[in-house]
Amino acid sequence: MAQETVSARAAGASSGRVPAIAVTGITKRYPGVVANDDVSLAFHAGEIHVLLGENGAGKSTLIAMLAGMQQPDSGEILLAGRPMRLTSPRVSLDHGIGTVFQHVLLVPSLTVIENLMLGGPWWQRLNKAPALARFAELSGLLGVSIDPDAQIGRLSLGQQQQVEIMRALWRGEQVLILDEPTSMLTPQGVRDLGEVLKRLRDKGVAIVLITHKMQEAYEFGDRISVLRLGRLVGSIEPGRRATMSQHDVTEEVIHLMFGARDKTGGEVDVLLGQHRRRADRNIANQSPRLIVRHLSTVAERGECPIRDVSFELRPGEILGIAGVDGNGQKHLAEVLAGQRPAAEGEIVIGDRNVTVGGVEARRELGLRYITDERLGEGTVGIFSVATNLVLKEIGRPPLWRNGLTLWDKVNQQARDQIRTYDIRTPSERTPIAKLSGGNIQKALLARELTETASIAIFNKPTYGLDLHNIRLARERIRDGAEKGLATIVISTELDELLELSDRIGVMFQGRLAGIVDNAGQAERQIGLLMTGAAQG
Amino acid sequence: MDVLLTQSFLTSLIFGAVTAGIPLLLAGLGEQISEKAGVLNIGIEGMMLFGAYCGFVAAYYTGSFWLGYLFGGLGGMVVAALVALLCIRLGLNQIVIGIALTIGFEGLTALLHYVQFSRTYPRLSPVPTLAIPGLSDIPVLGQALFNHNALVYLAVLLTFFLAWLFRNSFIGLNLESAGNKPAALDAAGVSVLATRSAAVLATGFLAGIGGAYMANVGAGLFVPFMTNGAGFIGIVLAMLARGRPVWVLLGAALFGISLAMTTALQVAGINIPTDVVQMLPFAMVMLVLVIFARHSVLPPALGLPYVRGER
Amino acid sequence: MSFVSDTRADSAVPQPPSSKLVKSTLAAVLRIFLPVLLALVVGGLILFAMGKNPLDYYGYVLNRGLFSWGGFQATLTRMVPLLLMAAGLIVAFRAGIWNLGGDGQFLLAAVITAALAPALIQVMPRSLMIICCIVVSVAVSALWALLPALLKARYGINEIITSLMMSFLGISFANVLVKLVFRDPTTTVPQTPDLPVADRLPRLFDTTVHAGILIALVVIVLVHIMMTRTSFGLKLQIVGANPRAAVHAGLNVAWLTIATFALSAGLIGLAGSIEILGVWGTVRADWNPAYGLVVVPLVFLARFHGIGTIGFTLFFAILMIGGESASRRIGVPQHYVLVLVALLLLFLALVEYLDQLWRKRVKD
C-alpha cells in the first residue's frame, strides 16, 4: 500500500465513487449498552468527514473498530469496496488506516524517530536511515519541522500531536482518523491543525475527524455525520454542505442531535459553544476571601510547576483559569488545596495564613477542591459510594466515635445525599467506579459543596460529561457563586470560562500570564496570552 | 593474616566469586528483561530452582553439561510459561502468583528429587573448563578469571549483548514501550501480551540456566532449596541497575565476592561467622539507597496487567 | 492488591443482609471450596504419580493433624506464629504495602527474646519477664522495618526490594547475635541460653498448647476489627486502594506508611517472641522456620479477612503437622505441603478469574 503514490490516489478520489473505507450495518455491544447500533458510513479519499456527537454517542467505539482495537459484533468494514476484517491494530496500520487517539499514545522515554519506528519487524536491528527518509517525506507532507532525535517527553503537546499524525500516516496515507484532536491545543494550534488536515485532504487522504464541538464540525467538515446514542441519525452530504450557510448547518445538526428534546435549554448553547455571560455584579467592595502571593512549586519529572503566581478572590466571584493543558494548572489547584507544598510565597484564607497547613486545615476554613481526576484521585473506585462520600471526613464525629466507624450512620447519610443530589446508583454500597462520569461528579459535588464551604476550586468540572451533565455542573457552579462562594474554575474549554467567569486568568508555562475582565475583547486577549505572545 | 595475601588464596577467592556470581548475573539479567517489559517477576526463585533441578537431572543422565544448561533453561521456561499464562494473559496479581510459584517449585523439586534419589545426593564429575590462551597465564587473575566453564564467558558476553540490544534493536524498543506505555505499543500494532510473554520466557530461560549452573558447576549436585534466595538477589540487582545490564554485572560481582569470601574465610581458618560476610552486600546496598536515595526509576507500568482500552 | 482488580469493594463496608444472601453465600462457599477441592485432586495426582495412594496420605494427614489429640495440640501450637504473622501481613497488604521481610523480623525478635528471657527471669517474676521480652522484641522488629518504611515514605522506593534485603540482613544478623553475642558458653552447638520450661508461657489446662494461642486469636480478631471498623483501618485501606486519593483526602500518607510498616513488623516480631517463650526457649544457630513467604498465600486465600485467616491457618497447620508425620511414615516429604499450598493459591486465583468472567457474561 505504501508504495502507491499520493497523487495517484488523489486522482482516483476525484473520479471514483468507491469510498476509501466504509462500514455497513456495524453493531457493537458492551455490557449494558449498545455502543454502535447498525451504523453505516462511508469515508472518501480527499474528504474530511466529521463525526459529531456528544460523549457516549458511540464515536470512540466506531474508531476503535476501524483502528483494529475492537471487533464489531455484526456488520462489515469495506476497504476500497472489499470486505476486510481488521482483527488487530497491525492489520489496520498495514492497510494504511492510521489513528490519532484522544490521549497521547507515544512512549515518553523514547525519541521521536524511535516512536515512529515502533512496530517494525522485531527481529531486525534499528535502521534509522530509511526511517529518517520517511520522516522527512511526512514532515514535508504535513508542513512541520520537528527534531527526530528529541525525546517525546520534552515536546509540547501540539508537537506530540504532529508526531502522532506522522505515526498514523507512517505505513500508508489512505485513511487518517483523529479522535477529538483539538482538546489539548491552543486556538492557534487548532488553526495550525486545520491547515495540516486540509493539506492532507488535498493530497487525497480520507480524513475522519471526531469532535463534539459544532464550530469545528462546521469549519473542517466536508461531510458531517451525527451520531446519537449509538445510532447514525443523519448526514450532510458534501454537495448539500456546499450550498448551506453556517446557520443552516447549525440548525440541521441541532435538529439531528436533539431530535424531540427541548431545544431551548442550555444544552444547545453548550453544543454551540455559545455563552450567556453572567450579569455583572458588584463584588469589588467585599474583602478578599482568598489571597495568593508569589506562589511557586517544585516539579517532579514530567510536571509543570507554577512560578510566582499572585491573585485575589472575593466571595461570590468566579475566577476562570484558562490555558493549554499542562501549563501548571494542576500544580496550582493542588497547592491551593493543600495537597502539594508551596516552595515559595503564601496563601491566605480570610485573615489566616495557611501556607503550611494541609488539606484538612484548609478544608476546615471552607476551602474545597473538586478534582478533574474523578477516579484517579477524587474517589477510591472499589469502595462504596457511601465510603467515598465521607472520604474527607474520616475519623470525625458524628460519623465516627472514639475512632470507631458508625457504618449505619455513614450509610444513612449517604442515602440522604443520593436522594438530595439525584445520584443515580443501585445502592449506597455500590462501588463508585461502576457509576457513570456524571454521577461520580454529582457525588463529588455533594461531598465538597457542603454548607461550610466558602471557597471552591473546580478543575475541568465538565470534562468527559454529556451535554445534560455539563449543563447541570455549570448551573451548580453558578448557583454556588450566587450564594457567595468564592470560586475558581480551571478549564481548557474557553467557552465554559467565558460563560461562567467574572475574570479569567491565563496560565502559560507555570506563570499567570495575565488576568482579564470577562468583557468585550476578552477572548482575543486570552488567545494571545495562551501562546505566551502577550503579557497582560 | 598472611594467608589472606597468598596468591592461591586470592585466586581461589576470585574464582569462587565468579562461580557464585554467574547465577546471580543470569537471574539479574533475566529479571531486568521482565522489568523492562513491565512484569515484576517474583517467581524467578522458582524458575532458578526448577532450572537447577532439570539441569542437574539432564547432566546426570547424559553426562553433558551443555544439555544440562539447555534443560535448565527449558525448566525455567516452564515456570515462566505459567507466569505468562496467569499474570500476563489472565492479568492475575504478579506478586501473589510469583510467591505461589516459588513456594510450589520449592516443594515440587524437593519431591522430585526425593522420588528419584531418595535421600542420596549423587555428584556430577567436575565441570570442563576453557582456559583462554594468554589471559589465563596472568598471575593470580589468570586462573581466577580466565579458566572457567565456557558458560561463564557467554554470560558476561550476554551482558554486553543485552546492553546493545536494548538500545539498537526493535526488541529493545518493544520492551521499553511495553513497560513505559503499553498502550502506545499496542497502537503501533505490536501485541503487548506477546511482548511481555516473550520477555518472561526469556527471563525463565536465563534464570533456569543460572540455576543449572549453580547446581552443576557451583555445587556439583542438586539439593532441595539450594538457590536459597539467589532469585531474590537477582530481583534486587535488576531493580538497582535501573535497566542497565552492565550494572547487573557489577552487582553480581559484588555479591559473588561476598559469597565466596564466606567459604574462603573458613578455608583460611579465620574465626568470623560467615553471616557477618553475608551481611556485607545487603548492608552496602541499603547504605547506597539511604545515601543516594532518589525516587526509584522503575517502568511506570511495572506490575500492572495490560487491558486494551483501560488506562 | 488482590488477584483481580475489584475484589475489595466489600471490605470497607460490611455487606448487607439481602434476599440474595443464600445465593451469594453459596457462591462464596463454592469460591473457597472449589479451589480447595481442585488443589487436593491435582495434589493427589502428583502423589499418585509418585506411587503413593493419595487417599491414604490425606487420611493419615487428617488423622495426625486433626483427629489425634496429640497431633491436634501440635497443630494448635503451630497456628500461633502463623496467625500472628498473618495478622502482620493483613495490616500491611490492606494498606498496599508489600512487607516481604517477615523472616528477618521474626528471627530478630526471636533472638532478642531468647537472649533477654533467661537473663530477666533471674531478676523478675515470670509474668513481668514475659511482658518485658515481648515489648522489647516487638520494638526491635518494628525498628528493623523502619528503614524500608522511611525509604518508601520519603522517596517512594519500592518496599518489596528493601524489605527483602532487610530480611536477608536480619537473618544473618540474628545468626551473628546467636554466635557472637548471646551464645551460651556451655553448649557445643552455638545457641542462646535455654529458658527453663517452667518459666515459659503457661500451658493451657492439661494440654501441651501454650497460652500464645489465646494471644494470637485475640490479636487477629482485634486486627480484623481495626481494619473494618475504625477510622485508622479505613485510612490504611484508602492508602492501599488508591494512594493518590489518600493524598487528595488530606491523609498523611508518609506517616501512615511508617505506622503500617511498624505495626506489621511489630506483629511479626510478636510471633517470633511468643514462639520462643511458648515453644523453644532458645534459638540455635541457623534456625529459621521460614514462615515468612508461606504465610503470604494464606493471607491471600482469606482475602485479607482476619477471621477467614484463622480457618486457612488451621488448615495449613494441620497439613504441616500431619505432613511431618506422614513424611516419616508414608515416605512423602513434608515439602509436599508447599506444593499443595501453591496449587491452592493458583486455583483460587483461577476460580476467582473465571467467576468474574462468568459474572460479566451474565450481565452482558
Side-chain angles (χ1 to χ4, degrees), chain B residues 1-305:
Chain B
M1 294 294 278
D2 290 347
V3 67
L4 278 179
L5 297 173
T6 61
Q7 289 199 355
S8 65
F9 176 82
L10 280 178
T11 301
S12 74
L13 176 69
I14 298 171
F15 187 91
V18 173
T19 310
I22 288 298
L24 304 180
L25 173 66
L26 286 167
L29 290 176
E31 182 72 18
Q32 191 161 51
I33 296 172
S34 279
E35 279 178 19
K36 244 193 189 324
V39 184
L40 184 59
N41 205 339
I42 297 277
I44 193 167
E45 181 86 8
M47 298 177 190
M48 289 189 85
L49 207 47
F50 198 52
Y53 171 77
C54 294
F56 172 78
V57 170
Y60 180 75
Y61 287 115
T62 66
S64 158
F65 278 86
W66 291 109
L67 279 177
Y69 295 140
L70 178 65
F71 278 86
L74 292 177
M77 282 174 93
V78 168
V79 187
L82 287 170
V83 174
L85 173 70
L86 295 167
C87 300
I88 299 172
R89 280 277 146 207
L90 305 188
L92 302 179
N93 187 302
Q94 295 175 3
I95 301 175
V96 186
I97 296 300
I99 290 177
L101 288 177
T102 292
I103 293 176
F105 279 90
E106 278 178 354
L108 192 65
T109 48
L111 278 190
L112 288 169
H113 180 269
Y114 175 83
V115 170
Q116 260 176 311
F117 303 111
S118 188
R119 296 192 198 281
T120 65
Y121 298 95
R123 279 190 166 275
L124 296 178
S125 54
V127 65
T129 60
L130 176 66
I132 296 182
L135 290 177
S136 57
D137 298 331
I138 303 171
V140 183
L141 291 181
Q143 289 300 307
L145 292 177
F146 302 110
N147 189 16
H148 280 277
N149 184 248
L151 183 83
V152 171
Y153 313 124
L154 285 180
V156 175
L157 286 180
L158 178 72
T159 311
F160 295 99
F161 173 70
L162 282 180
W164 178 87
L165 195 75
F166 287 161
R167 295 183 151 275
N168 298 298
S169 71
F170 278 107
I171 293 178
L173 224 54
N174 290 355
L175 290 175
E176 174 88 16
S177 309
N180 269 287
K181 193 124 185 180
L185 188 66
D186 193 16
V190 181
S191 162
V192 175
L193 303 191
T195 305
R196 288 183 168 178
S197 300
V200 167
L201 286 175
T203 306
F205 189 66
L206 292 183
I209 294 178
Y213 180 90
M214 204 173 200
N216 296 353
V217 181
L221 76 170
F222 179 83
V223 187
F225 302 93
M226 68 179 299
T227 50
N228 197 21
F232 290 119
I233 296 178
I235 296 172
V236 169
L237 290 179
M239 280 190 171
L240 291 176
R242 294 177 181 171
R244 281 161 296 193
V246 178
W247 283 45
V248 178
L249 182 65
L250 294 177
L254 176 74
F255 276 84
I257 288 172
S258 74
L259 287 174
M261 195 85 91
T262 57
T263 36
L265 286 180
Q266 280 171 331
V267 172
I270 290 168
N271 205 11
I272 313 177
T274 54
D275 309 279
V276 178
V277 189
Q278 274 168 4
M279 285 170 70
L280 288 179
F282 294 108
M284 268 173 66
V285 169
M286 286 307 292
L287 202 67
V288 167
L289 276 181
V290 172
I291 295 172
F292 300 105
R294 273 173 294 165
H295 286 268
S296 51
V297 186
L298 288 173
L302 187 66
L304 304 174

Side-chain angles (χ1 to χ4, degrees), chain A residues 286-323:
Chain A
Q286 304 230 38
S287 63
R289 180 72 196 143
L290 174 70
I291 304 169
V292 174
R293 295 193 194 101
H294 307 297
L295 202 59
S296 297
T297 57
V298 180
E300 283 164 27
R301 287 209 312 167
E303 296 173 346
C304 177
I306 57 168
R307 300 187 194 101
D308 197 20
V309 169
S310 303
F311 63 86
E312 290 183 354
L313 184 67
R314 291 181 161 71
E317 181 186 22
I318 299 181
L319 172 66
I321 300 287

Side-chain angles (χ1 to χ4, degrees), chain A residues 278-439:
Chain A
R278 297 178 63 208
D280 280 343
R281 282 157 315 119
N282 194 8
I283 45 170
N285 56 359
Q286 304 230 38
S287 63
R289 180 72 196 143
L290 174 70
I291 304 169
V292 174
R293 295 193 194 101
H294 307 297
L295 202 59
S296 297
T297 57
V298 180
E300 283 164 27
R301 287 209 312 167
E303 296 173 346
C304 177
I306 57 168
R307 300 187 194 101
D308 197 20
V309 169
S310 303
F311 63 86
E312 290 183 354
L313 184 67
R314 291 181 161 71
E317 181 186 22
I318 299 181
L319 172 66
I321 300 287
V324 176
D325 228 354
N327 273 289
Q329 294 97 323
K330 186 94 191 156
H331 268 229
L332 178 65
E334 288 179 354
V335 75
L336 290 178
Q339 282 175 229
R340 176 176 290 284
E344 279 168 49
E346 58 181 11
I347 302 167
V348 179
I349 297 178
D351 49 7
R352 297 269 290 278
N353 187 326
V354 294
T355 314
V356 291
V359 172
E360 212 174 330
R362 293 183 203 186
R363 197 174 160 80
E364 258 163 34
L365 289 171
L367 187 140
R368 303 286 191 268
Y369 171 36
I370 297 90
T371 175
D372 56 330
E373 297 185 67
R374 291 169 210 135
L375 277 170
E377 68 172 10
T379 57
V380 182
I382 58 172
F383 284 2
S384 67
V385 174
T387 311
N388 276 293
L389 280 170
V390 297
L391 209 61
K392 293 188 178 175
E393 301 290 333
I394 293 173
R396 293 195 204 169
L399 300 179
W400 273 265
R401 198 168 53 221
N402 303 324
L404 284 180
T405 314
L406 308 174
W407 282 113
D408 288 343
K409 284 194 181 176
V410 170
N411 290 333
Q412 181 56 49
Q413 181 184 307
R415 283 194 291 275
D416 293 345
Q417 284 181 319
I418 287 168
R419 214 174 308 116
T420 313
Y421 296 99
D422 190 29
I423 303 167
R424 309 278 167 86
T425 169
S427 112
E428 76 277 8
R429 293 166 212 255
T430 307
I432 199 161
K434 302 211 164 156
L435 271 52
S436 71
N439 282 306

Side-chain angles (χ1 to χ4, degrees), chain A residues 103-137:
Chain A
H103 298 272
V104 178
L105 282 188
L106 298 168
V107 185
S109 56
L110 297 179
T111 65
V112 171
I113 197 74
E114 283 172 334
N115 265 287
L116 290 173
M117 292 171 77
L118 201 58
W122 62 268
W123 58 91
Q124 280 182 15
R125 198 158 90 70
L126 290 182
N127 187 356
K128 287 199 181 144
L132 285 170
R134 177 73 178 149
F135 178 79
E137 190 184 340

